[in-house]
Amino acid sequence: MQDVSKLDQAALNLLDHALGYMYAAALRGVAQLGVADQLAAGPRTPAELAAATGTQTAFLHRTLKLLATRGVFREDEDGRFHLTPEADALRSDAPSSLRPAVIMLTENNFWQSATEFPATMREGKPAFEQLFGKSFFDYMVNSEDAAVFHQGMASYASAGNPFIAQSYEFPAGSTVVDVGGGHGGFLLTVLRENPGVRGVLFDSDYVVAGHCLDELGADDRWELAPGDFFAEVPSGGDFYVLKYILHDWSDEECVSILRNCRRAMTPGSRVLVVDSVIPPGNEPHTGKLLDMFMMLVVTGRERSEEEFASLFAKADLRLSRVIPTGSPVSIVEGVAG
Ligand SMILES: C[S@@+](CC[C@H](N)C(=O)[O-])C[C@H]1O[C@@H](n2cnc3c(N)ncnc32)[C@H](O)[C@@H]1O
């Protein structure tokens, strides 16, 4: 006779995994409603929070109780909810707020792509292209989703930017070209921390138009360079940063971007790829979650050190070192091969 007195732990684990998307969905919901903003001045009851966010008390309460199991919000003995460090980062006006990142990562077009794992795996093509009829970055050019993506990306990157910038020495007098630099958050950090350095922000024209570099005020050590990195990248840089770029693209596409950087380099210039470097084995790693994103949405993937070395070699570059940053990404440095 089978012992039915307790469910097998493996079965419970599996069923919890299947329900795991509820955390992401609930997080998106409270981010959209701005619940964390309502706790900035101190703890509040579910009824107070519901009145402030236009929601039903019991429904909001149940949602917050789920998130509290993951450390997002904390409920005290009197039933009032508090911010935790995770919930604090959801406030719209938190320094480096992650609210735009949470909303971007859980956007409907990504969510829909994630329902198409079987087709993606069978056909070896991102579901996004099959669902929306265009590659992700072509789709973004004329989409109202573009602002959500680029602001979300800036927010996603903001937490790591200081760690990455401080992990590398940019000598005074050098020029950093941020290739596909988005709105320029990383370049802004580098320029603030390195007063003798100049910067060039290179990305599609409609993206550089939304740049944040004028936060430097009268400091004019930067320029904008709209363009297409599959055509060419600006010449004369000492450092060519590719942050969260190569993971968007297939090996062939990466080699084309790297060759364009190589052509633009002068003797002594370096390429700095900033991406996850996936270690061997099956330990959890943020890069493995991002890898699913890349598989479903774009033609890219997260890579190991050996895979970066092989891409570099095909672009007449040599991987010189991998520098950890204290964040989930590393700096993979390349020099002329
Ligand atoms: C994942 S985002 C990374 C942004 C930024 N480097 C960061 O770390 O936040 C990829 C960037 O590549 C840019 N991009 C995509 N295709 C491009 C192209 N053909 N030429 C230039 N930039 C491109 C996008 O506009 C976007 O800003």
Side-chain angles (χ1 to χ4, degrees):
M1 273 283 278
Q2 200 180 353
D3 177 8
V4 289
S5 60
K6 58 177 171 19
L7 254 179
D8 186 78
Q9 188 57 45
L12 288 172
N13 290 346
L14 185 66
L15 297 174
D16 275 0
H17 293 325
L19 280 167
Y21 68 98
M22 285 301 171
Y23 294 107
L27 193 58
R28 175 176 178 79
V30 300
Q32 287 177 306
L33 290 165
V35 175
D37 289 341
Q38 301 300 331
L39 292 171
R44 298 176 87 178
T45 63
E48 289 166 342
L49 284 171
T53 56
T55 54
Q56 302 291 322
T57 303
F59 284 59
L60 177 62
H61 193 186
R62 288 156 65 190
T63 308
L64 294 177
K65 281 181 95 65
L66 173 75
L67 291 171
T69 66
R70 290 260 171 125
V72 185
F73 305 107
R74 176 175 70 77
E75 187 175 17
D76 67 22
E77 311 71 45
D78 301 326
R80 292 180 312 166
F81 279 86
H82 297 241
L83 290 177
T84 57
E86 287 85 346
D88 193 57
L90 268 187
R91 285 194 297 115
S92 336
D93 61 353
S96 305
S97 168
L98 293 179
R99 182 173 181 245
V102 166
I103 290 175
M104 177 271 283
L105 290 171
T106 55
E107 269 293 280
N108 289 348
N109 44 24
F110 296 150
W111 206 263
Q112 262 177 277
S113 302
T115 63
E116 298 293 341
F117 262 97
T120 301
M121 289 190 282
R122 265 192 223 109
E123 293 172 34
K125 288 194 191 130
F128 186 96
E129 265 183 55
Q130 302 177 47
L131 286 169
F132 297 97
K134 277 184 180 174
S135 70
F136 177 71
F137 287 108
D138 285 346
Y139 172 90
M140 278 297 148
V141 175
N142 290 315
S143 165
E144 51 194 35
D145 297 341
V148 176
F149 174 70
H150 290 291
Q151 281 159 19
M153 198 56 227
S155 155
Y156 181 90
S158 63
N161 282 341
F163 292 93
I164 300 162
Q166 283 161 22
S167 303
Y168 199 85
E169 199 175 321
F170 296 101
S174 63
T175 298
V176 177
V177 183
D178 198 351
V179 179
H183 286 171
F186 179 65
L187 203 52
L188 181 70
T189 311
V190 169
L191 295 180
R192 277 192 174 134
E193 295 190 2
N194 299 277
V197 167
R198 299 193 63 79
V200 178
L201 178 64
F202 179 80
D203 205 303
S204 304
D205 50 3
Y206 83 97
V207 182
V208 294
H211 75 91
C212 62
L213 293 170
D214 44 21
E215 286 181 33
L216 286 165
D219 185 346
D220 65 352
R221 289 175 294 134
W222 53 273
E223 59 188 272
L224 303 177
D228 172 4
F229 50 47
F230 290 111
E232 62 176 347
V233 307
S235 58
D238 298 293
F239 299 100
Y240 286 88
V241 174
L242 291 160
K243 184 160 83 71
Y244 293 127
I245 299 299
L246 296 191
H247 75 170
D248 290 335
W249 303 100
S250 67
D251 286 0
E252 295 70 30
E253 290 162 326
C254 288
V255 171
S256 160
I257 298 168
L258 287 167
R259 282 199 180 129
N260 283 340
C261 292
R262 177 69 188 89
R263 263 192 283 276
M265 284 162 67
T266 50
S269 301
R270 277 147 209 263
V271 169
L272 306 179
V273 171
V274 184
D275 255 328
S276 310
V277 177
I278 303 294
N282 291 322
E283 293 307 309
H285 191 293
T286 304
K288 291 179 186 173
L289 284 171
L290 283 181
D291 192 43
M292 297 298 100
F293 213 89
M294 300 311 143
M295 189 168 91
L296 294 162
V297 176
V298 289
T299 52
R301 51 184 300 213
E302 305 299 326
R303 295 180 171 86
S304 66
E305 180 172 340
E306 291 68 34
E307 288 165 336
F308 281 117
S310 154
L311 289 182
F312 277 14
K314 289 182 186 143
D316 185 25
L317 292 162
R318 180 174 58 77
L319 192 157
S320 40
R321 50 188 177 139
V322 176
I323 304 158
T325 64
S327 80
V329 292
S330 301
I331 300 173
V332 186
E333 184 191 64
V335 295

